[in-house]
Amino acid sequence: MQKRLLCTQTSTHIENTIKNSNLTKKWRIKQVKKSNFNQNLEEIKSRISNSDFIAISLQKTGSYSSPWQKVLPFDTPEIAYLKSKRSAEKFQLLQLAVCPFTLRASKLTAYPYNFHLFPRDELKIGMPSYSFACQTSYLTSMARLGFDFNSCIYDGISYISRAQESSMKHLTGTGNLAVRARSVKSSSTISVADSVFIERIKSRVKTWRTACKDSKGSNEDALVRALRKVVLGEHGSRPCLDVDVCSERQVQLILEVLKEFSDDTVPLLIPTKRGGTQGVRAVMTSSKEDKILFEKELQDLEEEQSKNVRGFREVIDLISASQKPVVAHNTLDDFTFLHSKFLSPLPPRIDEFKCSLSSYFPYVIDMGHLMKHFNPSGKMNNIHAASSFLRSRFFAPVEIDIPLKGTPEEMSEGKIHGQNVLQISQIFAKLYSIMKPGQHHISEGKDLALDNYANIFDPCSSVSLENSDDDVRISSGNTRRLSCNDMVFLWGFRSGLSVGELKSLLSRSHEAFSSEFDVRVVDKSCVVVAFQQPELAGDFVKAMGSGGTCHEGLTELTSLGLRAANYETYKCACNLSRWDSDLADSLDQVVTSADQFSADSHGKSPYEIWWDDDTVLNLDDF
């Protein structure tokens, strides 16, 4: 299989013409809200089942609160995960677009759905939480594009995670109504008190059953029948008996008694508002057929109420059950949100996160890593940049077919209503048509199969390097391997100082700066210095720790308030959740903290990064 590079201006013109024609024809995406969620669920299930891939795209209330809290190119995978974890726990999802699609040659058949979400405590028990943070720039951007916040709040689909549902299963099963009692094992030891309780319950049940059967053949007037129903009790149209309990042990004993009458009696549990069991209800059916019918009614009721509680998570469960490859633009960011909102609380470490996620989504493809094969030195920060790059380098026309139908309100053509998920699907289709997995190889004998790009959650790694969790890849032209031990964070410098001025001051302060070094901005309060030669960073930090007494230039800087810390201090700030708005404040806290990292952490760091001139922002451009 040969790569189809654009070699002529004619090919470029053809691709641009196709692109422009696609822009003039707006994509129609089905908008799904609380009011039409249930009626679309079966259709969505069918689309997911019949798809080849599933693309997703998220719209959130924010991502990070200050520049240094976003994932930076020199972050190790563990630090990148901690930052994404904080974002997922702090902010909220308002839209989640899902696009099951199939690829047949150059034809992309897509079924895009954009789900409007809003966390709501449907059962009034405090789950999920009502509170979340909002980043004003995100909301402002959404408002400018016409996002309807009223519709989101009042008609957004609620949801609950698997962990939340499991922890409150006694409550959510039927909305505080009686639920089916599960089978219990017979107790091996029966005390005297248990025996007395069993005989009392057995006598009460027999008396109740006799009264129920006697009333069936009697010819009573309406008032007597009504009074009898009040006395005997009724569950729907069937007679019932409620027995209050004081402990789970009593529940077990009552269920064992009711086994004797299991031919026509069905036991139910009556939950309390705060969990646990308030009592046991015995419901008498008229025959074996009626018992089967009643148990089916209970099962259907439980499934319907469970579905209402799960809400949008029904879609997440469908995607998980399908085991189809899931395509996203930034898998670490997107799937920390998905895990936090729909599965369970995020674990503390990235390896635990990967293990947990793989049990639900075993095959996740990151578009950013896939693009790095075609442009390893470029920056694919967004899907628009990726699309532009492909148009300029490859001729891979993709015909898009969207067979979905719906009402005008459902099939919105607005800019923000899930358009990104179709662009992700289209770019993936282009890449897939160029690659043709398994049919050709790139240089050095590496296969282009999609397996090489699956389940990579390091946002800065590259498949063209050693695929290790200890590597960080920074995309740019001229790169060099750099140990994290060769990096130093500086803060406390004069406000308004340019990078050139700071480099000039540093070069006169210590012999470590006699060799080549780079200075880059992390945020307005802090810069990072990268030394090309090993050991120089450690020498400089030690000199700073001694107050620079042996270096006149360094003494001057320290007297002005300049402070320094190694990479381990930065890692510790993230591990200890020191998320101040300025990185300098976070580093200060770690340096002066009593629970600072142990001495062992000052050893050689196993992490390496790939450093280049575009690693972080230039102070002059900040």
Side-chain angles (χ1 to χ4, degrees):
M1 172 64 189
Q2 296 180 347
K3 291 184 181 179
R4 291 171 285 183
L5 288 171
L6 280 179
C7 299
T8 65
Q9 292 295 326
T10 302
S11 297
T12 304
H13 175 73
I14 292 173
E15 180 70 6
N16 288 334
T17 302
I18 294 172
K19 184 249 183 181
N20 292 332
S21 65
N22 283 336
L23 287 178
T24 58
K25 183 177 68 174
K26 294 181 179 179
W27 284 327
R28 294 169 61 80
I29 299 170
K30 181 169 283 192
Q31 306 299 311
V32 184
K33 304 179 182 180
K34 184 179 180 181
S35 55
N36 66 339
F37 176 63
N38 288 333
Q39 68 191 59
N40 282 297
L41 197 55
E42 282 303 315
E43 177 184 286
I44 296 163
K45 182 177 181 180
S46 174
R47 303 305 184 194
I48 290 175
S49 176
N50 297 324
S51 65
D52 297 328
F53 303 92
I54 302 169
I56 63 168
S57 176
L58 282 58
Q59 180 67 61
K60 302 160 289 188
T61 62
S63 181
Y64 53 88
S65 304
S66 60
W68 81 272
Q69 293 170 7
K70 67 179 179 179
V71 177
L72 297 171
F74 53 76
D75 285 337
T76 64
E78 193 66 47
I79 291 177
Y81 170 69
L82 290 175
K83 290 183 175 182
S84 295
K85 176 178 181 287
R86 176 181 182 270
S87 176
E89 293 170 343
K90 184 175 183 179
F91 297 101
Q92 189 56 252
L93 294 176
L94 293 184
Q95 290 188 96
L96 202 161
V98 176
C99 183
F101 63 93
T102 59
L103 290 175
R104 299 294 181 269
S106 62
K107 184 176 181 179
L108 166 66
T109 304
Y111 300 92
Y113 298 86
N114 187 51
F115 297 91
H116 297 247
L117 310 178
F118 194 75
R120 195 178 294 106
D121 185 7
E122 298 283 2
L123 298 177
K124 311 300 180 187
I125 58 173
M127 295 175 68
S129 172
Y130 284 110
S131 61
F132 55 86
C134 293
Q135 196 170 338
T136 54
S137 59
Y138 272 63
L139 301 187
T140 301
S141 176
M142 293 168 66
R144 286 174 180 169
L145 293 171
F147 183 79
D148 190 342
F149 289 95
N150 280 331
S151 176
C152 173
I153 293 170
Y154 293 110
D155 201 19
I157 309 167
S158 58
Y159 55 85
I160 195 169
S161 72
R162 287 183 177 227
Q164 288 170 332
E165 183 182 17
S166 176
S167 66
M168 51 187 256
K169 58 185 177 181
H170 294 301
L171 297 177
T172 61
T174 56
N176 292 336
L177 299 177
V179 298
R180 283 187 300 167
R182 310 302 175 186
S183 60
V184 295
K185 295 182 179 179
S186 299
S187 177
S188 57
T189 58
I190 301 294
S191 66
V192 175
D194 289 342
S195 299
V196 173
F197 181 78
I198 289 173
E199 290 303 319
R200 181 164 58 87
I201 295 301
K202 188 178 296 186
S203 175
R204 185 176 173 184
V205 171
K206 287 180 178 179
T207 302
W208 165 72
R209 286 172 58 84
T210 301
C212 291
K213 291 179 179 180
D214 289 345
S215 66
K216 290 181 181 180
S218 60
N219 226 348
E220 300 167 334
D221 59 32
L223 178 59
V224 175
R225 283 198 302 271
L227 289 173
R228 186 181 291 275
K229 287 181 180 180
V230 172
V231 173
L232 295 178
E234 196 169 70
H235 185 93
S237 61
R238 299 176 177 90
C240 69
L241 171 68
D242 288 351
V243 182
D244 293 335
V245 296
C246 300
S247 65
E248 290 299 320
R249 175 61 175 168
Q250 289 186 349
V251 173
Q252 182 184 30
L253 294 175
I254 294 172
L255 295 179
E256 289 182 4
V257 169
L258 293 177
K259 287 181 180 179
E260 183 180 332
F261 313 99
S262 59
D263 288 346
D264 58 0
T265 303
V266 178
L268 306 178
L269 300 182
I270 306 173
T272 65
K273 292 183 178 180
R274 295 181 177 273
T277 304
Q278 174 180 316
V280 178
R281 174 173 296 172
V283 180
M284 181 182 292
T285 57
S286 59
S287 62
K288 288 186 177 181
E289 292 75 14
D290 186 43
K291 181 186 176 185
I292 294 173
L293 176 63
F294 179 55
E295 290 178 335
K296 180 65 167 58
E297 290 173 359
L298 289 174
Q299 182 179 351
D300 292 343
L301 178 63
E302 289 180 10
E303 289 179 356
E304 182 63 27
Q305 290 171 335
S306 295
K307 184 182 293 186
N308 292 337
V309 169
R310 290 192 295 268
F312 174 73
R313 209 195 78 228
E314 284 283 319
V315 178
I316 299 298
D317 289 345
L318 288 174
I319 297 173
S320 175
S322 74
Q323 301 288 286
K324 299 293 175 66
V326 181
V327 183
H329 179 63
N330 185 343
T331 55
L332 180 63
D333 190 43
D334 289 351
F335 280 89
T336 48
F337 266 88
L338 292 184
H339 195 291
S340 173
K341 309 305 180 189
F342 306 116
L343 302 179
S344 63
L346 289 163
R349 298 181 58 81
I350 189 171
D351 53 348
E352 297 171 359
F353 163 73
K354 290 178 180 179
C355 181
S356 175
L357 188 69
S358 64
S359 62
Y360 300 102
F361 302 100
Y363 203 91
V364 176
I365 301 172
D366 191 310
M367 289 290 295
H369 296 294
L370 195 55
M371 280 299 303
K372 284 177 184 177
H373 164 67
F374 299 92
N375 187 22
S377 63
K379 294 181 178 179
M380 297 295 111
N381 296 329
N382 55 66
I383 56 179
H384 303 291
S387 180
S388 177
F389 172 81
L390 288 179
R391 287 196 307 271
S392 66
R393 298 293 184 89
F394 299 95
F395 180 63
V398 172
E399 177 189 353
I400 301 180
D401 181 26
I402 306 175
L404 281 177
K405 296 181 180 180
T407 65
E409 292 77 15
E410 287 180 326
M411 303 302 289
S412 169
E413 296 178 354
K415 263 188 174 182
I416 64 168
H417 299 300
Q419 295 286 325
N420 281 352
V421 78
L422 264 176
Q423 291 179 307
I424 291 173
S425 303
Q426 183 188 36
I427 294 173
F428 178 82
K430 286 177 178 287
L431 295 174
Y432 194 78
S433 67
I434 296 168
M435 291 169 58
K436 294 297 183 185
Q439 295 186 19
H440 73 291
H441 294 75
I442 60 173
S443 60
E444 300 180 0
K446 292 187 178 180
D447 200 341
L448 276 177
L450 288 176
D451 287 352
N452 293 336
Y453 307 93
N455 304 325
I456 303 174
F457 295 96
D458 172 9
C460 302
S461 70
S462 172
V463 293
S464 62
L465 302 173
E466 284 186 31
N467 218 354
S468 167
D469 283 346
D470 293 344
D471 291 330
V472 178
R473 176 68 166 90
I474 301 174
S475 299
S476 189
N478 298 319
T479 62
R480 60 183 181 274
R481 191 181 293 271
L482 184 69
S483 169
C484 291
N485 288 327
D486 298 328
M487 298 175 63
V488 174
F489 291 85
L490 295 178
W491 67 98
F493 45 81
R494 175 168 51 85
S495 176
L497 197 68
S498 71
V499 166
E501 292 171 334
L502 183 58
K503 288 187 71 172
S504 178
L505 288 173
L506 291 173
S507 62
R508 300 193 300 267
S509 67
H510 190 270
E511 57 267 19
F513 297 101
S514 59
S515 300
E516 187 174 348
F517 66 97
D518 290 327
V519 179
R520 295 291 178 268
V521 170
V522 182
D523 68 1
K524 65 181 180 180
S525 70
C526 184
V527 299
V528 60
V529 179
F531 295 89
Q532 287 201 21
Q533 291 188 18
E535 310 297 337
L536 293 182
D539 294 342
F540 174 68
V541 171
K542 288 179 182 178
M544 286 289 293
S546 65
T549 53
C550 300
H551 305 81
E552 182 177 348
L554 200 56
T555 303
E556 180 183 353
L557 288 177
T558 54
S559 65
L560 293 175
L562 187 71
R563 306 195 68 182
N566 58 16
Y567 197 88
E568 292 294 339
T569 308
Y570 172 67
K571 286 168 58 179
C572 191
C574 298
N575 282 319
L576 294 177
S577 299
R578 308 295 193 193
W579 302 113
D580 292 88
S581 58
D582 291 340
L583 177 57
D585 294 335
S586 299
L587 295 175
D588 266 328
Q589 286 189 52
V590 174
V591 170
T592 59
S593 175
D595 59 349
Q596 194 185 170
F597 47 88
S598 65
D600 293 339
S601 66
H602 291 281
K604 287 290 182 181
S605 171
Y607 298 109
E608 290 183 335
I609 67 168
W610 285 78
W611 183 273
D612 63 40
D613 292 338
D614 298 320
T615 299
V616 276
L617 297 175
N618 188 298
L619 187 58
D620 300 322
D621 300 327
F622 193 78

